[in-house]
């Protein structure tokens, strides 16, 4: 009898789909065997970037390109006045490959170049598919490849970085919009000015967007043209290396937002009709164009395409020392309909004829390769359908991602803020939404990422405060809307981060409630950079309230980062009362208590917790976080024993719970109460003694 994969063992409901799951696994093994037949391993196979493209070897330049439909190819550039000549004509070798060897003195560092590709019935100028440097002329706006071979290339100081990511606390960022001026920021500015901020906030990982070159800045980096070229908008490849090296020195893992789900349609800048054919990298039929993204869809069934993309993964890890990837658009890849307009209501939806088996195979091989190159590497799937196995190890029958984005959580917060009054918030539902996930997969939880900040949408703080952010954020301002917004902003982040089973993510600036949306320069806004920047001065000003949100976020992140493998601690619900809107749960020695009630504060509120002595380690209502300081944090809370729960070693923790606030208690000892409990008096805010009362 065939062995049952662990994916199915862990979820017996998958047994009816065993044949489909086994089929995917066996197909992956077959494709891998086929790909590495001459290489020996996936890592040895994924070295296309060392063969293709422009490379200096001894006293000559060697250039290679894959273009099976081409009839002639010429290298043209600033070194030959952009004209075709026999001296720069490529020779066709085998398997659709082309090659040329050029004396080293004919081409120099920073020369510009392209390919002039001929095919039956036409020709066109193309940027080489494997180009590792692409620049745009500031006057003509035309893109060209650029020779990048400096004599003193950057040498990494941190050679072997080992991520310490338990828990993984990610700061999602965009290099270009990380400056306050209305312009594009640089790698150097980010390294010098922003990395120290992130380190000070306690995050142990950065996730960088828009690294692969893209012709349209407003695409947020998701319409990639040159997959091996770090965007020159922000600086040179060496400056990116220095940025990553500095992050490693600060102890931060560096994750790249990689786009293998589609490619820009452009032909002059991208891969569309690169050699005159429709089917070189992409589908040639009705699957070619993505119906929602105005882009082209890769044909993952072609070995050459898989070679290109796998080599791309290894390239960024080996050449730039990225520690892993967040794969964009995984849902779009694994379904033939890209997941558009489909409700995933049952397991049938994951195992019918609607899946793209070649894409699933590619992603599985990519994960296997990445962890072969670096066993400590991190891979994250942006996947919203909930397909089982996405975050399960390959050997157990999964696709192999280390984490999947918990995309339902930000959707839940948006829906709650848009559709329900504060007094109707259901804490039972809230806890379920935050902890509902597959037991065999780790997730990245987040209240909002860059998606929730894009134009047409609103950040959480903007939904809460709206136009009053412009007039009522001075430190001395008294405004009920602002008070509510600041309180809920902290609570939403705390409850989201404290219920993780893998990691937590925050988008750049949202930790301090950055105002307004993100809108990149485009024709519709007169090419303005006004909303494609981060106003760091807001959080630096001592007369504004943004500092309070930033201070809270820092304290929250530091608390979780200080607890080894916090994300692995089981979550046990202590209490959920829909009428009071009070929720409490414990993780190891921490007890989290939330009072979402917009009006009612509760005195002497009893919670049944493990016996011991507790003190407050985080209080959203603290004055240093912009709260009202209604709880005395110096008080220690000794649980009251209860004869009904003696065998469970449980006692009553009694505390004052202000409206719209959350407290985090830490058990500092296992002392048992003797009928006397310390509590905080809501009026005097002092420690007092009280006789045990019935709950």
């Amino acid at each position: 009898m065939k062995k049952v994969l662990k994916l199915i063992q862990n979820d017996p409901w998958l047994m009816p789909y065993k044949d489909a799951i086994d089929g995917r696994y066996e197909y992956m093994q077959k494709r891998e065997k086929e790909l590495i037949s001459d290489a020996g391993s996936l890592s040895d196979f994924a070295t296309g970037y060392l063969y293709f493209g422009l490379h200096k070897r001894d006293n000559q330049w060697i250039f290679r390109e894959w273009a099976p439909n081409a009839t002639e190819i010429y290298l043209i550039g600033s070194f030959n006045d952009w004209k075709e000549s026999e001296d720069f004509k490529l020779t066709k070798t085998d398997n659709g490959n082309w090659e040329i060897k050029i004396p080293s003195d004919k081409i120099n560092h920073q020369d510009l170049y392209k390919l002039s590709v001929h095919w039956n019935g036409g020709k066109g100028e193309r940027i080489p598919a494997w180009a590792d440097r692409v620049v745009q002329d500031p006057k003509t706006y035309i893109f060209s490849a650029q020779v990048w071979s400096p004599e003193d290339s950057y040498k990494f100081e941190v050679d072997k970085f080992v991520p310490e990511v338990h828990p993984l606390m990610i700061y999602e960022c965009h290099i270009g919009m990380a400056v306050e001026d209305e312009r594009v920021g640089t790698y150097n500015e980010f390294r010098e000015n922003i990395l120290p901020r992130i380190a000070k906030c306690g995050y142990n990982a950065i996730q960088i967007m828009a690294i692969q070159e893209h012709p349209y800045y407003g695409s947020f980096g998701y319409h990639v043209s040159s997959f091996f070229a770090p965007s020159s908008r922000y600086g040179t490849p060496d400056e990116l290396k220095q940025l990553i090296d500095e992050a490693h020195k600060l102890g931060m893992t560096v994750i790249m937002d990689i786009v293998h789900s589609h490619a820009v349609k452009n032909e002059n800048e991208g891969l569309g009709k690169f050699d005159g054919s429709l089917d070189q990298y992409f589908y040639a039929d009705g699957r070619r164009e993505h119906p929602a993204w105005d882009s082209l869809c890769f044909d993952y069934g072609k070995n050459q395409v898989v070679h290109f993309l796998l080599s791309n993964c290894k390239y960024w890890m080996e050449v730039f020392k990225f520690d892993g990837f967040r794969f964009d658009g995984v849902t779009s890849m694994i379904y033939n309909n890209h997941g558009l307009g489909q409700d995933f209501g049952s397991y049938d939806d994951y195992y019918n004829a609607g899946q793209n088996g070649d894409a699933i195979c590619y992603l599985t091989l990519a994960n296997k390769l990445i962890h072969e190159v670096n066993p400590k590497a991190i891979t994250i799937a942006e996947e919203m359908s909930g397909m089982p196995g996405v975050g399960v190890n390959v050997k157990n029958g999964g696709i192999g991602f280390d984490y999947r984005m918990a995309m339902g959580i930000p959707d839940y917060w948006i829906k709650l803020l848009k559709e329900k009054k504060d007094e109707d918030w259901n804490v039972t539902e809230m806890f379920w939404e935050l902890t509902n996930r597959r037991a065999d997969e780790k997730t990245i939880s987040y209240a909002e990422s860059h998606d929730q900040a894009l134009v047409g949408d609103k950040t959480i703080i903007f939904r809460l405060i709206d136009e009053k952010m412009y007039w009522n954020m001075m430190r001395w301002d008294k405004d009920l809307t602002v008070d509510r917004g600041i309180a809920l902003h902290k609570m939403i982040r705390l409850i989201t981060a404290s219920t993780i089973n893998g990691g937590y993510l925050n988008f750049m600036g949202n930790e301090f409630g950055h105002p307004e949306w993100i809108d990149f320069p485009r024709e519709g806004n007169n090419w303005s950079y006004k909303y494609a920047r981060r106003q760091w001065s807001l959080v630096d000003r001592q007369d504004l309230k943004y500092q309070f949100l930033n201070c809270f976020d820092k304290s929250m992140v530091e608390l979780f980062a200080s607890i080894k493998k916090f994300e692995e601690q089981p979550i046990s619900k202590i209490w959920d009362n829909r009428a009071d809107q009070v929720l409490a749960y414990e993780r190891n020695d921490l007890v989290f208590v939330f009072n979402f009630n917009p009006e009612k504060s509760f005195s002497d509120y009893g919670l049944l917790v493990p016996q011991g002595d507790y003190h407050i380690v985080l209080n959203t209502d603290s004055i240093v976080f912009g709260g009202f300081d209604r709880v005395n944090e110096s008080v220690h809370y000794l649980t009251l024993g209860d004869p009904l729960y003696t065998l469970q070693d449980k006692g009553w923790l009694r505390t004052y719970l202000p409206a719209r606030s959350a407290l985090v208690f830490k058990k500092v000892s296992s002392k048992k109460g003797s009928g006397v409990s310390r509590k905080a008096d809501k009026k005097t805010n002092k420690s007092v003694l009280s006789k045990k009362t019935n709950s």
Side-chain angles (χ1 to χ4, degrees), residues 61 79-80 87-88 102-108 111:
W61 292 96
F79 42 77
N80 62 7
D87 291 342
F88 290 91
I102 305 167
S104 59
D105 61 349
K106 296 292 185 180
I107 297 178
N108 298 304
D111 280 348

Side-chain angles (χ1 to χ4, degrees), residues 129-283:
W130 300 78
D132 57 8
R133 170 79 169 161
V134 175
V135 297
Q136 185 178 26
D137 186 289
K139 295 180 180 179
T140 64
Y141 302 111
I142 294 174
F143 285 87
S144 301
Q146 184 180 49
V147 178
W148 192 256
S149 182
E151 292 184 7
D152 298 319
S153 59
Y154 185 79
K155 301 295 189 296
F156 286 95
E157 295 182 33
V158 180
D159 186 45
K160 298 288 185 182
F161 178 78
V162 180
E164 295 292 338
V165 291
H166 296 289
L168 180 59
M169 307 297 282
I170 302 173
Y171 196 89
E172 185 186 31
C173 47
H174 185 286
I175 303 297
M177 61 175 290
V179 291
E180 186 147 356
D181 303 337
E182 295 184 27
R183 59 180 175 84
V184 178
T186 68
Y187 295 123
N188 284 342
E189 288 173 315
F190 191 91
R191 172 177 54 82
E192 294 168 359
N193 303 324
I194 310 306
L195 279 181
R197 286 183 180 271
I198 301 171
K200 190 175 181 180
C201 284
Y203 288 87
N204 58 21
I206 56 173
Q207 180 176 300
I208 312 180
M209 306 173 61
I211 289 296
Q212 296 166 293
E213 191 59 87
H214 46 290
Y216 179 43
Y217 188 51
S219 75
F220 224 145
Y222 290 119
H223 276 194
V224 174
S225 53
S226 296
F227 286 77
F228 290 84
S231 181
S232 61
R233 285 183 179 85
Y234 321 128
T236 69
D238 290 78
E239 289 165 349
L240 173 58
K241 291 176 182 179
Q242 190 175 5
L243 186 164
I244 294 170
D245 205 22
E246 182 63 26
H248 285 160
K249 290 178 190 177
L250 293 170
M252 283 187 281
T253 296
V254 185
I255 300 167
M256 176 177 164
D257 199 345
I258 198 167
V259 184
H260 284 178
S261 49
H262 62 139
V264 72
K265 291 170 68 174
N266 300 36
E267 295 176 7
N268 292 335
E269 295 90 1
L271 300 176
K273 291 184 67 177
F274 183 83
D275 65 357
S277 65
L278 293 174
D279 64 348
Q280 183 182 1
Y281 287 97
F282 311 104
Y283 295 113

Side-chain angles (χ1 to χ4, degrees), residues 25-63:
Y25 187 72
E26 291 164 3
Y27 179 58
M28 179 274 298
Q29 291 180 311
K30 176 185 173 184
R31 287 288 300 276
E32 180 182 13
K33 186 177 180 180
E34 179 183 321
L35 294 171
I36 68 173
S37 59
D38 296 326
S41 70
L42 277 177
S43 182
D44 292 333
F45 170 74
T47 54
Y49 62 94
L50 298 175
Y51 181 81
F52 292 107
L54 183 66
H55 301 280
K56 198 170 189 179
R57 300 284 186 264
D58 299 324
N59 294 319
Q60 63 181 355
W61 292 96
I62 301 177
F63 179 85

Side-chain angles (χ1 to χ4, degrees), residues 37 43 87 99 236 241 244 295 312 380 481 526 616 624 654 656 667:
S37 59
S43 182
D87 291 342
E99 180 182 272
T236 69
K241 291 176 182 179
I244 294 170
S295 56
N312 192 237
I380 305 169
T481 300
N526 199 27
I616 295 172
V624 298
R654 296 190 176 278
Y656 174 54
K667 188 169 75 168

Side-chain angles (χ1 to χ4, degrees), residues 371-512:
H371 293 101
E372 188 177 307
V373 174
N374 179 5
K376 297 290 186 180
I378 293 165
T379 58
I380 305 169
E382 189 210 24
E383 206 291 296
M384 51 72 62
S385 77
M387 176 183 282
V390 168
V392 173
N393 193 288
V394 174
K395 67 180 180 181
N396 295 330
I399 296 179
F401 286 97
D402 297 300
Y403 304 87
R404 74 189 305 157
M405 301 294 290
M407 300 182 71
I409 293 178
D411 290 345
Y412 169 74
W413 288 124
I414 290 173
K415 185 177 177 66
L416 191 66
L417 290 167
K418 286 175 64 175
E419 299 179 4
K420 290 192 177 182
K421 299 177 181 178
D422 292 6
E423 55 267 29
D424 294 331
W425 286 21
N426 183 335
V427 293
T428 304
E429 173 190 81
M430 188 183 298
F431 184 77
W432 186 87
E433 291 283 355
L434 292 169
T435 58
N436 177 35
R437 54 216 172 197
R438 297 186 62 82
D440 57 353
E441 296 183 332
K442 294 185 292 185
T443 60
I444 302 296
S445 299
Y446 58 107
E448 53 186 343
S449 68
H450 70 273
D451 284 330
Q452 285 70 43
L454 290 172
V455 67
D457 207 337
K458 291 184 179 181
T459 60
I460 286 177
I461 195 67
F462 211 49
R463 287 189 184 280
L464 290 166
I465 300 178
D466 218 324
E467 76 278 357
K468 292 201 172 184
M469 293 198 74
Y470 303 125
W471 316 108
N472 298 94
M473 288 295 283
M474 299 299 291
R475 187 168 184 166
W476 51 81
D477 285 343
K478 303 296 182 184
D479 186 275
L480 293 177
T481 300
V482 173
D483 291 343
R484 168 185 177 264
I486 288 177
L488 289 178
H489 192 271
K490 292 177 288 187
M491 294 179 72
I492 287 171
R493 275 168 160 67
L494 178 60
I495 196 170
T496 302
S498 63
T499 50
I500 60 173
N501 77 330
Y504 172 76
L505 178 140
N506 164 71
F507 179 68
M508 178 175 68
N510 285 357
E511 71 277 6
F512 66 83

